[in-house]
Amino acid sequence: MTRVLLIAEHDGAELNLSTAKSMSCASQIGETDVAVFSNGADSLATSAATLAGAARVLHASRPENAKPLAAVLAPQIAKLAADYTHVLAPSTTFGKDVLPRVAALLGAPQVSDIMSVESERSYKRPIYAGNVIVQVSVPDNCTVCGTVRIASFKAAATDGNAEITAVSPDADLPAHTRYIDLQAQVSERPDLQSAMRVVSGGRGVGSAENFEIIYGLADKLSAAVGASRAAVDAGYVPNDMQIGQTGKIIAPDLYIAVGISGAIQHVTGIKDAGTIVAINKDAEAPIFALADFGLVGDLFSIVPDLEKKLG
Amino acid sequence: MKILVCVKRVIDYNVRVQINRQGDGVITDGVKMSVNPFDEIAVEEALQIRDRGDADEIVAVSIGTSASQQQLRTALAMGADRAILVESDDEIQPLAAARVFHKLVEKEQPGLVFLGKQAIDDDSNQTGQMLAALWQRPQATSASSFELNGETARVTREVDAGLEIIDIDLPAVVTVDLRLNEPRFVKMPDIMKAKRKPLETIALSELGIDAPPALETKNYEPPPQRQAGIMVETVDELIAALRDRGVL
Ligand SMILES: Cc1cc2nc3c(=O)[nH]c(=O)nc-3n(C[C@H](O)[C@H](O)[C@H](O)COP(=O)(O)OP(=O)(O)OC[C@H]3O[C@@H](n4cnc5c(N)ncnc54)[C@H](O)[C@@H]3O)c2cc1C
């Protein structure tokens, strides 16, 4: 029988939306239990229990689980996996870090970035920065390990009421890896990965100070702010705003790319957006080939004008 | 201390990848091949550690056909001391690669193994983590800063929420992100010098590795194409178009 174990992602206080999105993928495969690893924080297990489609919640609470260290979580997950045919995690930096470590312990290959479920053991996934989509099948003699491309799935509803079981998988936990700190940007703006609207700036914006006009437009639209790699590399904005092959993959209803040329590595992060708007002074910029609406001109006059006229 | 750096031969990141006619692979004939960009950064980091006097030997390793010698020569030209190619004509998936690297690690006993966080062909982002699991050693993935302090290292990792800092005991596996460093340019004399550096070739079959279960890949297709859009002339037109679509 197919049984899926989904590893919940959270920040110690709240579940990350990636968990609910991955839940939608997991439910398409089979009966799903959600595993929450934390130090106390019972409310995390309680909110996991509301995810529509969750059969059970397994809550592994111990001090070592306070922070998401792959080397500490992987042996516990591998232990729990014995009762499951599938182990899934979101394809966020959390899931990318921990799940391959689990797969190797289980002697199983991993399917990264599942975009769609074709059958119980067969999935579509992107390769070459999303320029090619392939179908991969997992052989029958091993656990299916997969990370879920969260931009491809809608969040599961939260009207469920799964039973919560405390578990303590018996595994030797290493002390060779120690969590020190998280330097997170505190922002009042919507979260990039779940925002309905995103305004992004690229190298064309020119400086950290100039990014204020991007923030201004974003705030007018209640949008999150993203960036190209060039803008992050140049130090205009922090790394967690990078969108693309090696940054975040997002799917907002509206994406406005400002001063971004549209390199394939960037574009792969926004292909699932509802409507794409490009503002660029170069009429030949590749971003226009993909934008629903393109406006050629100087961003320094267009963006403030747009903000003003949005009233 | 010895540092092992894993280097993969991939289609150059500037190439527009084409699917072959049968739809069971991508076209590589006559296509520019390069060192995976993340692996170049891995090589650079290892070299910088050696240049500071904290490592004495950098060994570049690759798995692939004999053509991968080219990429190992690039690593040698950058400054690696020697190279090992584990030769195989078969597709090597991350778990198989991790088992090969684990074998090499047992033989070479490095203090650190650096790899790119992902290879830009299959974009798997798995091999380093899998190696760390098999070796039962720490992993620090997506590193954007690395600081060696004797028997431990402090690593800053690029994570979705910002920057995470962890301490790891050596030996350890580190996978690198793009902002860790700027790889050096290779100069002509270095390329000449690299030709004389040792490059050992081992057949994969000689390593005695159990072939792990492998994914079967089929149906190579282009991604769904977005409809070409329209150009608007003014900000007012743009606002009207967006209102029309119901996204404002
Ligand atoms: C392995 C690898 C991984 C990568 N991963 C990513 C990734 O995840 N995300 C990512 O974004 N990139 C990634 N890149 C980098 C990518 O290839 C591009 O270099 C990058 O996206 C370019 O950013 P940009 O569009 O901001 O800059 P540019 O390409 O320099 O474009 C700037 C644009 O701004 C326009 N402009 C300038 N001034 C103005 C003005 N006043 N008004 C209007 N327009 C103006 C210009 O016409 C130009 O089109 C990766 C590259 C590699 C090799």
Side-chain angles (χ1 to χ4, degrees), chain A residues 18-225:
Chain A
S18 63
T19 309
K21 292 195 169 192
S22 302
M23 185 71 218
S24 297
C25 174
S27 308
Q28 289 179 28
I29 299 170
E31 186 182 286
T32 301
D33 292 352
V34 182
V36 177
F37 294 86
S38 68
N39 180 23
D42 291 348
S43 61
L44 289 168
T46 317
S47 46
T50 66
L51 289 173
R56 263 171 305 275
V57 172
L58 310 184
H59 188 195
S61 172
R62 57 190 294 172
E64 294 90 335
N65 291 348
K67 300 295 177 188
L69 289 173
V72 169
L73 299 184
Q76 301 177 64
I77 297 169
K79 261 273 152 41
L80 294 178
D83 297 329
Y84 295 87
T85 55
H86 293 60
V87 182
L88 296 187
S91 187
T92 52
T93 50
F94 164 74
K96 288 174 181 176
D97 189 39
V98 71
L99 205 68
R101 192 160 180 128
V102 175
L105 294 177
L106 297 173
Q110 175 181 303
V111 182
S112 294
D113 306 314
I114 294 172
M115 300 174 75
S116 72
V117 178
E118 302 299 307
S119 76
E120 238 171 68
R121 305 184 79 85
S122 186
Y123 313 91
K124 285 197 174 167
R125 66 171 300 256
I127 58 175
Y128 290 102
N131 283 304
V132 179
I133 310 296
V134 289
Q135 186 172 335
V136 293
S137 306
V138 185
D140 287 328
N141 58 354
C142 59
T143 308
V144 176
C145 293
T147 59
V148 180
R149 182 179 183 274
I150 55 175
S152 301
F153 295 88
K154 294 248 176 308
T158 49
D159 54 0
N161 184 19
E163 170 199 329
I164 300 171
T165 312
V167 293
S168 38
D170 156 41
D172 278 342
L173 304 188
H176 54 45
T177 307
R178 296 169 295 278
Y179 178 94
I180 304 296
D181 192 18
L182 175 70
Q183 295 171 353
Q185 302 298 322
V186 199
S187 167
E188 298 294 306
R189 296 194 175 84
D191 168 57
L192 190 51
Q193 272 163 315
S194 46
M196 309 295 263
R197 294 169 176 175
V198 174
V199 182
S200 266
R203 198 197 314 266
V205 177
S207 69
E209 297 74 52
N210 290 351
F211 241 82
E212 286 306 323
I213 67 168
I214 304 292
Y215 292 122
L217 176 59
D219 291 346
K220 183 57 75 65
L221 291 166
S222 308
V225 177

Side-chain angles (χ1 to χ4, degrees), chain B residues 62-161:
Chain B
S62 190
I63 314 168
T65 65
S66 59
S68 295
Q69 289 188 18
Q70 258 177 7
Q71 281 61 44
L72 287 173
R73 289 286 172 207
T74 303
L76 293 170
M78 285 177 73
D81 297 292
R82 63 186 172 92
I84 304 171
L85 172 63
V86 175
E87 206 172 324
S88 167
D89 290 338
D90 299 332
E91 181 210 352
I92 305 293
Q93 295 182 5
L95 184 55
R99 287 189 183 176
V100 169
F101 292 141
H102 186 216
K103 258 288 191 296
L104 296 179
V105 158
E106 284 176 338
K107 206 169 116 193
E108 299 282 344
Q109 301 283 322
L112 282 165
V113 180
F114 279 102
L115 311 83
K117 77 165 179 181
Q118 71 193 73
I120 60 164
D121 48 6
D122 61 26
D123 282 332
S124 287
N125 195 332
Q126 300 174 9
T127 307
Q129 297 88 311
M130 287 177 160
L131 169 61
L134 301 177
W135 194 14
Q136 300 184 344
R137 293 306 307 165
Q139 68 186 49
T141 55
S142 304
S144 65
S145 122
F146 179 87
E147 186 192 313
L148 195 60
N149 305 308
E151 290 304 299
T152 69
R154 178 156 293 190
V155 185
T156 304
R157 308 179 50 234
E158 292 202 357
V159 297
D160 290 337

Side-chain angles (χ1 to χ4, degrees), chain B residues 32-61:
Chain B
K32 182 175 181 208
M33 304 296 287
S34 298
V35 175
N36 177 39
F38 291 95
D39 301 347
E40 266 187 336
I41 294 167
V43 174
E44 177 64 36
E45 195 63 21
L47 295 176
Q48 290 186 11
I49 293 169
R50 190 195 56 192
D51 295 349
R52 284 196 299 267
D54 291 330
D56 30 51
E57 193 182 27
I58 311 299
V59 185
V61 300

